[in-house]
Amino acid sequence: MSNGKIHIFDTTLRDGEQVPGCKLNTREKIEIALALENLGVDIIEAGFPISSPGDFESVNEIAKVIGDVTVCGLSRAVEKDIDAAAAALKPARRPRIHTGIGTSDYHIKSKFNSNREEILQRAVQCVKWAKRHVEDVEFYAEDAGRTDNEYLARVVEAVIAAGATVVNIPDTTGYCLPHQYGEKIAYLINNVPNVDKAILSCHCHNDLGLATANSIYGVMNGARQIECTINGLGERAGNTALEEVAMVIKQHNGLGQSLHTRIRSELLNPLSRLVSEIMRMPVQPNKAIVGANAFSHSSGIHQDGFLKDAQTYEIIRPDEVGADDSKIVLTARSGRSALAYRFKKLGYDYDRNDIDALYQQFLKVADEKKEVHDDDLLGMASVHSQEKSFAH
Ligand code: KIV
Ligand code: ZN
């Protein structure tokens, strides 16, 4: 196992772009690739060159404009796919071919109508073929999450011997539990004799909502690359969200193992918005790190604590991830301190008696509306000042 550097492999432009309706043109892909480079990712998977002339062109154009970051193209374990990936990546300063084949019995029997020995040979051949084109070859053992560990270890050993620099252990169907995925990585680290010659990579899907947890268990057990996407976009329920793994590692101080990434966390929210707009894919409001509600407080108990000390209810400062300032949202569950705070922001420095009186008005409005806005508060302030002047 190498040091604690975790390589961030972004696949927004390949696995993320496989989402129906998220298809991008070359110009849009270049814009996102440049933003990913600026964010600090280590590898950009730019596409699947054999899949269409448009994707070939996108990978080729991205390879021209990206500097020191590795640009990667996907292929199946098929020579013409690998040749297309190599051709598209020709202008890249650091090209990587990502090739591989399914290794679970589901894939071996149902998809390929084959057997384990034959698949092992194809795995080795595809790596050797890719090595004729580039030095940096990543092999993926598709459905590794459901592949028998002993067989998987044999495949991993063989592809490393054939020259793979990175071996991807995808939980393609998002089936593994975090401890199982972690144990799989640990098994490979302990049972593959030449494992120190390559980096093991986590590629986790989110079918059970475990993609982030599984990737974290993967790196805690020795993997040194995480494959992920902005906003967790990807096939079906998506892939590991880049913003989540980067912040888990940062907020937990390297997970006790000095793990670290090069991600500039203050760019996470701007990039999330960019990807969401370009891919026309809204971000769910309660999404960790980048959702609209990630820094909003609406219940009275939370608001009171937050206003006394933000750390009572926030573990990340919004500016650390480039989000707007925390919000105090007024609903029927809000309390007096939140109301006083919002009035103060509008220039009304009310005392306790004023707030008591206004709070009754507020509850009536709040019970009728989902959220009480500034114009509602201004209306209440005007009624309140009239009532006060009558009373005098
Ligand atoms: O999920 C998966 O197994 C993949 C491979 C093609 C890497 O996306
Ligand atoms: Zn995938």
Side-chain angles (χ1 to χ4, degrees), residues 14-15 74 98 140 142-143 168 170 172 203 205 227:
R14 199 278 297 170
D15 226 338
L74 184 78
H98 189 191
Y140 63 84
E142 196 177 3
D143 205 16
N168 182 6
T172 305
H203 178 113
H205 279 266
E227 309 198 0

Side-chain angles (χ1 to χ4, degrees), residues 336-337 339-356 358 378 381 384 388:
R336 287 174 174 73
S337 40
L339 187 62
Y341 168 83
R342 285 283 298 269
F343 271 125
K344 201 164 179 184
K345 284 201 120 188
L346 291 171
Y348 297 91
D349 204 356
Y350 288 129
D351 64 18
R352 176 96 210 176
N353 290 336
D354 289 319
I355 289 296
D356 279 346
L358 281 157
L378 292 170
H384 183 63
K388 272 180 90 168

Side-chain angles (χ1 to χ4, degrees), residues 132-171:
R132 292 161 58 127
H133 295 291
V134 294
E135 176 46 38
D136 191 4
V137 174
E138 174 169 341
F139 174 82
Y140 63 84
E142 196 177 3
D143 205 16
R146 294 187 300 173
T147 299
D148 164 55
N149 282 349
E150 240 175 81
Y151 174 64
L152 185 61
R154 285 180 57 214
V155 174
V156 173
E157 182 180 353
V159 295
I160 294 175
T165 46
V166 180
V167 185
N168 182 6
I169 310 298
D171 184 22

Side-chain angles (χ1 to χ4, degrees), residues 314-332:
E314 278 186 357
I315 58 159
I316 302 172
R317 287 196 331 272
D319 61 295
E320 262 185 90
V321 291
D324 294 339
D325 286 347
S326 307
K327 281 200 285 287
I328 292 289
V329 179
L330 294 178
T331 70

Side-chain angles (χ1 to χ4, degrees), residues 19 105 118-119 162 171 188 197 214 293 310 318 358 371 392:
V19 175
D105 289 334
E118 215 172 87
I119 292 297
D171 184 22
L188 297 174
K197 306 273 184 304
N214 285 348
N293 292 347
L358 281 157
E371 190 181 330
H392 283 107

